[in-house]
Amino acid sequence: ANTPIPERPALPLLGHALDIPRGADGLLHLVKEVKELGPVYRVRAFGNETVVVGGLDLVAELADETRFRKNVHQDLVEIRQIAGDGLFTAYAHEPNWQKAHDILMPAFSLGAMRGYHATMLGVARSLIAKWDRMAGSSPVDVPADMTRLTFDTIGLCGFGYDFESFRSEKAHPFVDAMGRALAFTQTKSESLPGTEIFRWKQAERFRADAALMTDLVDEVIRQRRASGDTSTDDLLGRMLHTRDAVTGEPLDDLNIRHQVITFLIAGHETTSGALSFALHYLTKHPEVLARAQAEVDALWGDTDTPSPSYGDVGKLTYLRQVLNESLRLWPTAPAFAVEPLEDTVIGGTYPVRKGETLLVLTPALHRDAAWGENVELFDPERFAPEREAERPVHLFKPFGSGERACIGRQFALHEATLLLGLIVHRYRLIDHADYQLKLHQSLTIKPDGLTLGLARRTTSD
Ligand code: HEM
């Protein structure tokens, strides 16, 4: 017999809205509910219903693409106001998804990563130049500088456009506008329908922010068109000049705008957060840091300014373990949703309806008992190469699942591993404020207020 999906008693209309705190505490609350209610439960708010899933067996079942596909849930519907039918927010039935996916996939191949390497290294050197000036004197704002790095990297690698973030004390205006716009869309999907009227000031601000982002993107596209360059094979070059193999058409201008905005958003926040968490854990775990330093020292010795090759990054396997373990504890895009293609039953007993939102809560999955005891402990050994084969396939999903999984995964891992390598090679990381982890959440999560002291390493450390 079918069992109804567990849920807490709910108020009419408000549902569980009053139980769920806003922002990062809301995420932690949902993760805690997995311990209390089990690996699947239902939450309701303002007429929206979500089935939350946080355990290995169910996530493995939902990965079956003959039964489930990506669900564009309420938050993503709101983000469509900025990103339209771009890859991340496109509905499964929108033809531009397949078209853009096919056109852009080659830009994320291993060969393409080789091409981005020198640019990524150049941006990493801008960060190091800044950190050298601060080492020994003032602490660095880790998430802010990681955001500068990842934003400039996607701008240059994707669109040949230099945002020059390290030249400024302030965040790039696009980054601020994006942060506010995403926060606004989030508030909207967390509020009572009809209350928009009380947020008209924010709504006005949102329109201005959206316009700022669109104008910048149009300028990036205009500059490329004006340059007459038709041979550069980066994301923008491919979008402007490649025709879809099936329809023979290129992407239309509006869709290209949506894709550029999508890449500027998806291509930097998550990687920036992942780098910040990794630096936090490296600082708090001296034995892990020492091993990471031994790994880079073996490659680059005590060269003052190493020039890592593309191949070197693949050799930093311990740093990759550190990144993976950081992404296990805090997957920076902390959820993704799927929907059943037909009414069906999950877990052998819970009925779910065609099209309803089944939200995979990644931080809960990443704390499933299948990880062993002490799931809260930061331990990169979980990702030791000899243990890879024993890990169930669907236990680690920081990049989502199936055909709608992250297209930028290799890009992010290459960029992040390279930078972490350069940082641990060059600096001692000093926990000058005895930082206690606190999450900041917008669309993604990052360590709130993390600052670190730095000192240049000498040959004796
Ligand atoms: C999709 C995570 C870096 C571009 C996704 C999804 C996740 C994710 C979980 C699936 C979302 C869903 O199912 O709704 C991450 C993490 C990153 C990262 C944790 C860094 C550590 C990047 C980078 C880029 C990128 C660097 C671009 C250069 C995208 C795009 C999609 C996506 C375009 C939508 C793919 C599609 O539906 O076709 N990402 N991402 N991401 N990501 Fe990433």
Side-chain angles (χ1 to χ4, degrees):
N2 286 344
T3 323
I5 292 177
E7 70 175 285
R8 301 259 184 211
L11 294 168
L13 187 61
L14 285 169
H16 303 103
L18 301 181
D19 305 344
I20 306 174
R22 294 263 162 114
D25 290 341
L27 176 69
L28 298 176
H29 171 87
L30 294 180
V31 173
K32 200 163 108 257
E33 288 288 71
V34 172
K35 288 187 200 139
E36 312 251 322
L37 299 173
V40 55
Y41 62 89
R42 194 187 297 274
V43 286
R44 305 168 192 269
F46 316 129
N48 281 321
E49 283 185 24
T50 305
V51 173
V52 179
V53 174
L56 172 61
D57 295 344
L58 283 165
V59 173
E61 184 175 353
L62 300 189
D64 179 352
E65 295 188 272
T66 65
R67 296 176 60 205
F68 304 93
R69 66 179 184 193
K70 169 160 171 154
N71 171 262
V72 177
H73 57 88
Q74 195 55 39
D75 285 6
L76 297 189
V77 171
E78 296 296 342
I79 295 170
R80 284 177 60 97
Q81 292 185 64
I82 328 171
D85 61 354
L87 282 174
F88 175 54
T89 42
Y91 291 109
H93 57 77
E94 284 175 308
N96 276 341
W97 180 78
Q98 190 74 56
K99 211 167 144 184
H101 177 82
D102 292 348
I103 289 176
L104 288 167
M105 269 310 267
F108 291 97
S109 64
L110 277 183
M113 294 308 127
R114 205 176 267 284
Y116 300 136
H117 176 78
T119 308
M120 289 180 177
L121 181 58
V123 179
R125 289 202 163 127
S126 306
L127 175 126
I128 284 180
K130 174 174 182 184
W131 281 21
D132 273 359
R133 291 193 297 274
M134 302 177 81
S137 54
S138 41
V140 294
D141 179 338
V142 175
D145 279 340
M146 293 304 126
T147 298
R148 287 188 171 85
L149 173 108
T150 53
F151 192 58
D152 283 10
T153 302
I154 185 66
L156 281 166
C157 291
F159 314 108
Y161 192 89
D162 194 348
F163 291 112
E164 301 189 332
S165 304
F166 286 104
R167 292 222 177 160
S168 168
E169 286 301 308
K170 291 211 275 296
H172 193 282
F174 183 97
V175 172
D176 276 344
M178 181 194 94
R180 275 191 307 265
L182 290 178
F184 177 78
T185 56
Q186 197 117 353
T187 321
K188 198 165 162 210
S189 68
E190 284 173 2
S191 309
L192 266 175
T195 56
E196 293 88 356
I197 191 157
F198 302 115
R199 290 188 300 277
W200 61 273
K201 259 208 143 59
Q202 288 97 315
E204 215 162 74
R205 183 86 227 207
F206 173 78
R207 278 190 295 276
D209 286 331
L212 183 149
M213 290 192 274
T214 319
D215 288 350
L216 180 81
V217 165
D218 289 349
E219 175 58 19
V220 171
I221 300 173
R222 192 199 61 74
Q223 274 198 17
R224 174 67 60 89
R225 285 216 158 107
S227 74
D229 172 359
T230 55
S231 61
T232 302
D233 203 20
D234 60 5
L235 299 182
L236 185 56
R238 294 197 67 83
M239 289 194 281
L240 291 172
H241 306 297
T242 313
R243 285 169 184 277
D244 173 35
V246 179
T247 59
E249 296 161 4
L251 295 176
D252 62 71
D253 281 6
L254 181 60
N255 185 255
I256 294 178
R257 180 200 270 178
H258 288 148
Q259 303 296 0
V260 177
I261 293 195
T262 297
F263 279 105
L264 289 181
I265 298 175
H268 90 275
E269 271 240 317
T270 42
T271 315
S272 155
L275 277 162
S276 304
F277 282 114
L279 285 168
H280 161 66
Y281 285 116
L282 282 164
T283 309
K284 291 286 187 186
H285 295 266
E287 70 296 349
V288 174
L289 177 59
R291 216 179 131 183
Q293 283 172 330
E295 179 171 68
V296 289
D297 290 351
L299 276 181
W300 307 325
D302 54 14
T303 329
D304 183 66
T305 310
S307 285
S309 66
Y310 172 80
D312 282 354
V313 178
K315 293 184 190 138
L316 301 177
T317 53
Y318 186 67
L319 271 173
R320 275 289 287 272
Q321 288 177 229
V322 169
L323 255 176
N324 278 344
E325 178 65 349
S326 306
L327 282 168
R328 179 186 72 84
L329 283 167
W330 302 114
T332 47
F336 60 92
V338 299
E339 62 188 29
L341 294 169
E342 299 299 333
D343 289 358
T344 185
V345 169
I346 59 172
T349 185
Y350 301 114
V352 286
R353 292 182 310 275
K354 174 179 176 177
E356 86 173 303
T357 302
L358 312 179
L359 191 78
V360 175
L361 195 63
T362 329
L365 171 70
H366 290 176
R367 285 163 174 76
D368 187 281
W371 286 100
E373 283 168 20
N374 254 336
V375 289
E376 294 296 341
L377 185 78
F378 176 81
D379 178 13
E381 281 309 299
R382 295 180 208 275
F383 290 92
E386 64 278 11
R387 287 171 66 181
E388 286 291 299
E390 58 188 65
R391 190 175 61 239
V393 209
H394 298 290
L395 192 55
F396 185 53
K397 293 248 163 201
F399 293 99
S401 200
E403 69 170 5
R404 297 298 293 270
C406 183
I407 199 173
R409 174 188 177 155
Q410 297 303 337
F411 186 100
L413 291 173
H414 192 87
E415 173 185 15
T417 310
L418 170 66
L419 181 75
L420 286 178
L422 290 168
I423 289 175
V424 302
H425 182 255
R426 196 168 187 86
Y427 304 109
R428 280 194 291 124
L429 305 176
I430 303 162
D431 184 14
H432 73 112
D434 187 24
Y435 178 73
Q436 299 304 309
L437 183 59
K438 186 164 162 267
L439 297 189
H440 176 271
Q441 181 173 17
S442 53
L443 179 62
T444 67
I445 49 176
K446 52 181 63 162
D448 196 15
L450 171 63
T451 59
L452 286 179
L454 300 172
R456 287 289 300 274
R457 283 173 77 207
T458 58
T459 34
S460 60
D461 357 90

